[in-house]
Amino acid sequence: MAREHLSKRGNWQAKAGLGGQGREETVKKTLSGYLTHNSTYSVIERPKHLKKIYGGRWGIEPDFAIENRRTHKIAFFETKRQGKGGNAHERACKYFAPGVERACGKIAGFKRPFFFIFMNGLTTDKKKRTEIEMWFHAPGYRDRFLLWGDRSPQALIEYFEKVVTKYLA
């Protein structure tokens, strides 16, 4: 696409980012509210721990992280949502590249320290759900995602309690 055409087209990334930030805030606020009176865990907004994993110059900035203050283990979270089009769920796969897993696992204190909260169309579109369930089917990955379709605070808290805390212990 020519430069003049690119400059005139809409910026879908900016619009998607605004919607994504709202969902990310919902997840973060739910978990932060739940953990307010828990001295074991702290929520870290936009953690910088992974900012230089690529050659010491570039990296990843997850949506948020939760750290166990006693063990210093860190779980990194990405929230992914989309409507009918898009590939937000596909972009989650980069976190499972062997080099990324190795570098981030060293920092987090355990293997595969990424957890994904999928929302909106990713939970209702049969094709996307099937893709997500297939990609995360292998041992060690099955519990790394939550299809948070109903957005019930209780479902998110249960996921944290039953799944995430065992990795942070």
Side-chain angles (χ1 to χ4, degrees), residues 89-90 122 124-133:
H89 65 308
E90 292 173 0
L122 294 171
T124 58
D125 182 291
K126 187 166 177 60
K127 178 183 181 280
K128 288 178 176 52
R129 280 183 68 113
T130 302
E131 289 174 342
I132 290 166
E133 289 166 354

Side-chain angles (χ1 to χ4, degrees), residues 71-88:
T71 65
H72 302 288
K73 291 181 179 179
I74 306 166
F76 297 102
F77 290 83
E78 278 288 310
T79 57
K80 298 290 185 190
R81 68 137 191 93
Q82 69 185 43
K84 287 191 175 206
N87 66 344

Side-chain angles (χ1 to χ4, degrees), residues 11-156:
N11 185 341
W12 67 267
Q13 295 97 333
K15 290 177 189 172
L18 289 173
Q21 286 175 344
R23 303 306 184 276
E24 174 188 321
E25 283 301 312
T26 300
V27 172
K28 211 170 16 184
K29 283 181 182 177
T30 300
L31 289 173
S32 293
Y34 175 67
L35 295 172
T36 298
H37 302 294
N38 186 323
S39 62
T40 304
Y41 303 103
S42 61
V43 177
I44 305 163
E45 293 191 39
R46 292 283 177 199
K48 309 293 185 223
H49 304 75
L50 311 176
K51 286 286 278 189
K52 295 189 177 191
I53 63 163
Y54 299 128
R57 295 181 64 192
W58 306 279
I60 299 169
E61 187 177 294
D63 293 332
F64 68 98
I66 296 178
E67 181 176 7
N68 181 321
R69 290 183 180 125
R70 294 181 188 137
T71 65
H72 302 288
K73 291 181 179 179
I74 306 166
F76 297 102
F77 290 83
E78 278 288 310
T79 57
K80 298 290 185 190
R81 68 137 191 93
Q82 69 185 43
K84 287 191 175 206
N87 66 344
H89 65 308
E90 292 173 0
R91 291 192 312 273
C93 294
K94 75 177 181 181
Y95 295 96
F96 297 119
V100 172
E101 279 192 337
R102 189 172 37 259
C104 296
K106 285 179 186 174
I107 294 165
F110 64 98
K111 289 173 74 172
R112 299 180 194 102
F114 291 100
F115 297 84
F116 298 89
I117 311 299
F118 294 110
M119 298 176 274
N120 293 30
L122 294 171
T123 67
T124 58
D125 182 291
K126 187 166 177 60
K127 178 183 181 280
K128 288 178 176 52
R129 280 183 68 113
T130 302
E131 289 174 342
I132 290 166
E133 289 166 354
M134 178 181 249
W135 295 335
F136 286 85
H137 183 72
Y141 296 95
R142 288 186 188 123
D143 60 357
R144 293 306 203 275
F145 73 98
L146 172 65
L147 293 170
W148 199 37
D150 67 357
R151 302 218 317 254
S152 144
Q154 191 58 38
L156 183 59

